Amino acid sequence: KENSLDKDILLLNKEINRIKKEKNSFILENKFDEAYELRKKEASLMSKLNEISLNYSDGNRVVTIEDIASVINIKTKIPVYEILKEDMMVINKIKEDLANTIVGQDEVIDELIDITKRIKYGYSDNKCYSLLFMGPSGIGKTLISKIYAKNLVGEDNFIRLDMSEYSDVTSINKIIGSSPGYVGYDDNKNILEEVRNKPNSVILLDEIDKAHPKVINLFYQILDEGKLKDSKGNIVRFDNSIIIMTSNIGSEYILEDNNNHDLVMSKLKENFRPEFLNRVDEIIIFNSLNKDTMYQILDKLISDLNKRLKDKNINLSLTDKAKNFIVDSGFDHNYGARPLKRFIVKNLETILARGLIDNTIKVGDKLIVDVDKDKLTINK
């Protein structure tokens, strides 16, 4: 009986390995429908293999793969055994939320969704997956990261580091902890400890180019080996993490010409060691925003404002003249959507707030925003 079981286990392992290789080939070729079918076969065979192995090792109690996955999930929050239909629901929700929120980055969203399919379909080299988002300020790099993380792992498992706060060599301690004998050695307030507690996380390294070279070297080790030692010698693994880095390097070439990716990459290579860049799984270059996309962003911002006013049953609409005035006043090619948002807050939301306070704007009002003498006005 044992010989028969050994043979069954060996055959199943061979078949699983064969399917994995074929599935990974499809993933690399972006043939996701074919990869999805093989992923289902792989999951089915893995379940069968675990059932045989567990029954073989314990004749008194049958422990299913779901039992083990449930315990691991409770302890680590890592979704070890996911139902493929749920995987697709997560991927579709990510795409829907990004498409509804981000303007002018359709190609970036499509690329990110393909990457997510690779991750969800089990393509892995036992190291964390890493992405580098390139592009000017205010085009949505950080926002995309937040929305992506919220849908993929949940807000609690999103770790954001402003790398401008890691510009000196001593900031290494913020990541790995203080050395023995130094203040803070006995506490656990460092990034590695946070990753240890949130192993299934998305880690955003905002403006990675502003970090000290020795800090970047730490992340080079993580990208290379998928793990790092803290100051106490404990190994923290990043196998189930996704690292997203952002950078404005080469933005001048994107602003001049959206298709000039070669110059952006050349500038990137001047600022980072080849060993580091070679270990980044995907480098994604964002588009700059133009005036046409600003009108779409304006519509979204006004829609969000109306949602906030919904509890007062107040609705806001803009004349074409007001839209043109806001976009002309708030558009800055170098800084993306941020100046537009600031302009709306300062010149529109302030008027609304004053009107609500002095009772000139009341519950149930239908308001029209127009322009008079180079100023926004609100009329009923």
Side-chain angles (χ1 to χ4, degrees):
K1 181 180 178 182
E2 286 188 5
N3 288 338
S4 175
L5 282 169
D6 285 340
K7 189 176 179 181
D8 288 344
I9 290 170
L10 183 62
L11 290 172
L12 275 171
N13 270 317
K14 281 185 178 179
E15 182 62 9
I16 289 167
N17 288 332
R18 185 192 67 77
I19 287 174
K20 277 184 178 178
K21 286 179 182 177
E22 192 176 350
K23 177 198 69 179
N24 287 343
S25 296
F26 281 137
I27 290 172
L28 290 173
E29 294 168 10
N30 286 342
K31 295 179 179 178
F32 293 113
D33 290 338
E34 292 90 337
Y36 178 74
E37 292 303 316
L38 288 177
R39 178 78 169 93
K40 287 194 290 186
K41 287 182 183 178
E42 180 190 352
S44 175
L45 290 175
M46 283 295 295
S47 180
K48 188 175 179 181
L49 175 63
N50 279 285
E51 187 177 347
I52 290 173
S53 299
L54 289 167
N55 288 338
Y56 185 19
S57 62
D58 185 357
N60 298 318
R61 179 175 180 270
V62 176
V63 181
T64 67
I65 187 62
E66 288 86 354
D67 293 331
I68 295 173
S70 176
V71 172
I72 294 174
N73 188 283
I74 290 168
K75 294 290 185 184
T76 67
K77 307 302 180 191
I78 298 171
V80 178
Y81 186 78
E82 296 173 320
I83 300 171
L84 291 174
K85 189 182 285 188
E86 290 181 359
D87 286 350
M88 286 309 301
M89 286 172 63
V90 168
I91 291 169
N92 291 336
K93 183 68 166 56
I94 292 171
K95 187 169 186 177
E96 181 185 347
D97 280 7
L98 288 175
N100 288 338
T101 310
I102 305 297
V103 173
Q105 306 296 345
D106 292 346
E107 292 173 3
V108 169
I109 292 171
D110 288 342
E111 192 169 351
L112 189 56
I113 292 303
D114 284 348
I115 290 165
T116 308
K117 287 178 181 178
R118 283 176 220 156
I119 295 168
K120 283 288 185 181
Y121 291 175
Y123 186 83
S124 172
D125 57 2
N126 296 320
K127 289 183 281 190
C128 61
Y129 212 96
S130 56
L131 311 171
L132 177 56
F133 289 172
M134 304 290 299
S137 296
I139 58 171
K141 300 189 300 294
T142 301
L143 183 56
I144 278 184
S145 304
K146 288 179 179 178
I147 295 169
Y148 181 71
K150 179 181 176 182
N151 282 285
L152 190 68
V153 298
E155 286 179 301
D156 290 342
N157 287 337
F158 177 57
I159 302 170
R160 178 182 177 270
L161 307 182
D162 181 349
M163 299 312 288
S164 63
E165 297 176 3
Y166 295 80
S167 57
D168 63 84
V169 68
T170 60
S171 57
I172 286 176
N173 295 339
K174 297 179 188 176
I175 298 171
I176 64 172
S178 300
S179 300
Y182 285 82
V183 174
Y185 175 69
D186 290 328
D187 64 38
N188 291 320
K189 293 178 181 177
N190 59 70
I191 301 306
L192 286 188
E193 188 61 27
E194 190 172 2
V195 174
R196 188 203 302 279
N197 294 328
K198 301 173 183 178
N200 185 44
S201 59
V202 171
I203 303 163
L204 175 62
L205 310 179
D206 237 346
E207 298 188 288
I208 183 70
D209 48 289
K210 293 185 178 178
H212 191 278
K214 289 195 175 180
V215 172
I216 293 176
N217 283 343
L218 282 182
F219 285 99
Y220 164 77
Q221 290 180 50
I222 293 169
L223 300 186
D224 187 41
E225 301 175 6
K227 61 184 180 181
L228 192 67
K229 280 186 180 180
D230 65 15
S231 60
K232 298 177 182 177
N234 301 313
I235 294 175
V236 178
R237 300 203 62 86
F238 288 74
D239 306 57
N240 293 287
S241 297
I242 296 173
I243 294 179
I244 299 175
M245 298 165 276
T246 71
S247 175
N248 299 334
I249 287 174
S251 294
E252 63 271 24
Y253 302 122
I254 297 173
L255 293 169
E256 290 169 8
D257 179 1
N258 259 331
N259 296 316
N260 211 336
H261 289 183
D262 289 343
L263 285 174
V264 177
M265 291 303 297
S266 177
K267 193 76 173 177
L268 188 62
K269 289 171 183 175
E270 289 175 16
N271 286 268
F272 290 102
R273 291 166 52 195
E275 299 94 323
F276 179 79
L277 293 177
N278 287 339
R279 279 156 181 79
V280 176
D281 292 302
E282 304 284 346
I283 297 174
I284 300 176
I285 299 177
F286 281 57
N287 299 317
S288 64
L289 301 179
N290 55 37
K291 250 188 176 179
D292 291 337
T293 54
M294 282 296 162
Y295 282 99
Q296 297 176 54
I297 292 171
L298 173 59
D299 288 341
K300 287 184 180 295
L301 292 172
I302 297 302
S303 175
D304 290 342
L305 181 55
N306 275 321
K307 286 175 185 175
R308 301 205 304 272
L309 294 169
K310 194 173 182 181
D311 63 330
K312 295 179 175 59
N313 197 27
I314 294 173
N315 183 264
L316 200 70
S317 60
L318 276 63
T319 64
D320 288 342
K321 188 177 178 181
K323 286 185 178 182
N324 293 336
F325 178 75
I326 291 171
V327 169
D328 287 341
S329 303
F331 175 66
D332 188 317
H333 194 55
N334 293 307
Y335 296 102
R338 289 196 184 103
L340 184 71
K341 292 177 184 176
R342 285 195 292 269
F343 185 85
I344 290 171
V345 170
K346 184 178 178 180
N347 298 279
L348 182 55
E349 292 189 23
T350 301
I351 300 173
L352 273 171
R354 280 202 208 106
L356 288 166
I357 290 169
D358 62 24
N359 212 31
T360 55
I361 295 174
K362 299 177 182 178
V363 172
D365 280 347
K366 307 300 177 189
L367 306 173
I368 298 172
V369 180
D370 206 349
V371 181
D372 182 40
K373 296 178 182 178
D374 289 333
K375 285 186 178 179
L376 291 178
T377 61
I378 296 181
N379 308 307
K380 296 183 183 180

